[in-house]
Amino acid sequence: MKKFLQTCCAGLLAAAAVVSAESATNGYLRDVADGYAAETAYQLRASWSLPKFLTVTPEGAYSYLHLAENFPHATIYRAGPVVELPRKPERWVKTQEITWQDKKQQFHDLITAQDSPLQGAVVIHRGKVVYEEYPGMRPFDNHVWMSNAKPVASLLIAQLQEEGRIDVNKTVADYLPAAIGSDWEKIKLIDVLNMQTGLDLEEGPEQRANPNSSFARFMVAEAGLPNVDGVRETHNQALLAIVKLREPGSAFEYSSANTQMLGLVIEAVTGQRLADVVSERIWMKVGMEGDAQLGLSPQGNGIIHGLISSRLMDMAKFGMLYTPSWNRVSKARLVSEKALNDIRTGGQPENYPRGVLGPKLQKLFAETPRANAYQWDAVFHDGDFYKGGMNGQGLYISPEKDLVVAWFANGFSPVPMEKAARSLALAL
């Protein structure tokens, strides 16, 4: 039995580690831009599995738009009038030339190419929608954010910090009694926010493919599956079992486990479920077009590190909260000047190349970001910042240029959208 579980777990994790340019030939996406036929939907749902969700498959593409059919979800509620942003298409966005590895391609051609996995892209400049395209989804579809959801947790922490309810220089155990006795106990919240805890939790292809890794155990617990030892842990048990590897503050070690810990701290401080906190503090205060959804683990935890689903325009409106045009979508300023400054000046530049993700993003952007900070993957020297999600989701913010670029996909594009978004900002 143990050998069987090891084989299943190893297969699941190996599949999760497969995210390559070759797998991004998703012509089938172009066939579903207007929705799925009923029989097709039934078939894709019936053959869904976690590996097919984590890698690039027709079943995965379907579930990215209908994740509540596969995971239990809580609702993140909207309220009040919908803010209709003015549409003013600008030709320079469509024709902006993206140069990457001796290739040149215009922005619009990148989005709409037949072999592109891009399902939707929105560009907002000075509060106006200057580009909007949905080659693989409908504007009203709720699409999973994947790790683009991580800054939602960091924004909630920043709000609680300004209210005096959280001090990011205090430890996890100061707010979460369950962490006492674990290796999380003495980790400062700022090190969790900046993904430099020193714990054995880094998230990358090697860790996903190794069923004995702490991150792999965390991932299978999230899905309600038994680990390599045949034990079915709760999400929190797997999270709190992660052990110390090195001293905090020494490397940028990207991991969804960090964000999940922030979620537990937020619930402990507020006494509310995460979905309710996001509803009341963010979603209901912005003129969103629709309700969002938050995926739940089998024990009921909100999976704040990745399983938020919403319309693309609403994710872009979340991005606008970090720009001078925040007042186009919200009466109250939800991202303070201090919170914005913490992102743009925080992090430790010397730690950025020490880990898996930093060097990867240096290559994708063809430049070296200043650092990572507050759950954002890349903060540039000019103050722009970016967050990405598995299989090609992205959110790029330029406060200085009052620019938001947001996109959904089901696979990494042969020409990275990271480079494309950065090119738009630099062209202004």
Side-chain angles (χ1 to χ4, degrees):
M1 180 66 176
K2 183 176 180 181
K3 185 175 181 181
F4 171 76
L5 289 169
Q6 287 176 329
T7 301
C8 291
C9 190
L12 165 66
L13 298 166
V18 178
V19 180
S20 65
E22 290 79 9
S23 65
T25 306
N26 298 325
Y28 60 85
L29 288 177
R30 297 297 174 265
D31 299 330
V32 299
D34 295 322
Y36 286 82
E39 286 302 321
T40 302
Y42 298 147
Q43 292 169 9
L44 292 173
R45 183 180 179 188
S47 58
W48 183 91
S49 67
L50 189 59
K52 290 178 180 178
F53 168 66
L54 295 170
T55 55
V56 183
T57 63
E59 291 86 356
Y62 177 80
S63 64
Y64 270 36
L65 295 168
H66 306 89
L67 195 56
E69 296 180 14
N70 304 103
F71 277 83
H73 275 67
T75 301
I76 297 172
Y77 293 101
R78 67 164 310 282
V82 173
V83 171
E84 292 287 350
L85 294 173
R87 264 71 173 177
K88 187 181 179 182
E90 295 191 10
R91 181 171 173 75
W92 74 267
V93 179
K94 296 182 69 172
T95 59
Q96 177 63 34
E97 200 167 69
I98 314 302
T99 302
W100 178 252
Q101 294 180 342
D102 299 324
K103 299 177 183 178
K104 291 185 178 181
Q105 193 169 15
Q106 291 187 354
F107 183 79
H108 182 68
D109 294 339
L110 167 66
I111 302 297
T112 58
Q114 185 62 30
D115 63 348
S116 170
L118 271 294
Q119 293 171 277
V122 168
V123 181
I124 299 175
H125 185 221
R126 295 177 179 173
K128 299 177 182 178
V129 180
V130 296
Y131 181 88
E132 185 176 13
E133 195 72 36
Y134 298 94
M137 61 183 290
R138 298 166 297 185
F140 54 82
D141 281 327
N142 270 10
H143 190 293
V144 65
W145 291 24
M146 300 304 274
S147 287
N148 283 9
K150 287 178 170 62
V152 174
S154 73
L155 175 53
L156 295 174
I157 291 287
Q159 290 177 347
L160 293 169
Q161 180 183 9
E162 290 176 15
E163 294 169 12
R165 301 174 70 181
I166 279 179
D167 181 345
V168 297
N169 290 307
K170 288 188 175 182
T171 69
V172 171
D174 285 326
Y175 300 100
L176 187 69
I180 296 173
S182 75
D183 284 1
W184 289 93
E185 180 177 356
K186 297 180 180 179
I187 303 297
K188 293 181 180 179
L189 287 180
I190 189 61
D191 287 328
V192 183
L193 281 162
N194 291 343
M195 298 206 178
Q196 51 182 25
T197 63
L199 298 178
D200 184 17
L201 47 58
E202 189 163 23
E203 177 180 350
E206 181 180 344
Q207 291 81 12
R208 293 193 191 105
N210 177 8
N212 288 302
S213 74
S214 297
F215 182 77
R217 290 172 179 266
F218 167 76
M219 188 168 68
V220 296
E222 181 169 278
L225 301 172
N227 61 27
V228 69
D229 299 320
V231 178
R232 199 182 298 268
E233 295 180 297
T234 68
H235 203 199
N236 288 358
Q237 285 173 333
L239 180 62
L240 291 167
I242 296 173
V243 299
K244 182 177 179 178
L245 195 61
R246 58 180 61 89
E247 288 302 310
S250 57
F252 169 32
E253 293 165 324
Y254 183 90
S255 180
S256 295
N258 288 311
T259 320
Q260 203 58 34
M261 180 56 71
L262 294 177
L264 295 184
V265 169
I266 291 164
E267 289 188 332
V269 171
T270 63
Q272 296 177 282
R273 296 190 318 154
L274 270 175
D276 293 337
V277 182
V278 178
S279 295
E280 294 176 13
R281 287 180 168 268
I282 301 174
W283 219 257
M284 296 173 74
K285 293 188 175 183
V286 180
M288 299 300 195
E289 292 185 356
D291 292 338
Q293 298 162 308
L294 178 64
L296 305 176
S297 72
Q299 73 188 63
N301 289 101
I303 304 176
I304 191 64
H305 68 74
L307 298 194
I308 289 179
S309 295
S310 81
R311 302 182 187 198
L312 179 59
M313 187 58 68
D314 287 345
M315 186 175 76
K317 287 179 179 177
F318 172 78
M320 287 179 66
L321 298 176
Y322 296 83
T323 73
S325 292
W326 62 264
N327 54 6
R328 297 286 187 96
V329 294
S330 176
K331 292 181 180 179
R333 184 167 189 178
L334 304 183
V335 178
S336 70
E337 195 63 39
K338 179 186 183 305
L340 188 60
N341 189 61
D342 285 343
I343 295 167
R344 300 175 82 181
T345 63
Q348 294 179 242
E350 66 274 17
N351 287 346
Y352 199 71
R354 301 172 186 166
V356 173
L357 188 59
K360 177 182 176 182
L361 289 178
Q362 288 175 329
K363 183 177 180 181
L364 289 175
F365 282 110
E367 67 176 287
T368 301
R370 177 188 172 276
N372 67 290
Y374 274 70
Q375 301 286 293
W376 294 88
D377 296 341
V379 181
F380 294 88
H381 293 274
D382 58 7
D384 291 7
F385 44 94
Y386 154 84
K387 183 73 193 80
M390 178 178 277
N391 287 336
Q393 325 317 316
L395 185 60
Y396 183 99
I397 313 292
S398 179
E400 191 71 26
K401 307 289 180 64
D402 199 353
L403 178 75
V404 174
V405 186
W407 62 94
F408 286 144
N410 193 256
F412 289 105
S413 178
V415 178
M417 274 296 295
E418 291 83 0
K419 176 69 172 178
R422 180 73 174 150
S423 296
L424 290 179
L426 294 175
L428 286 170

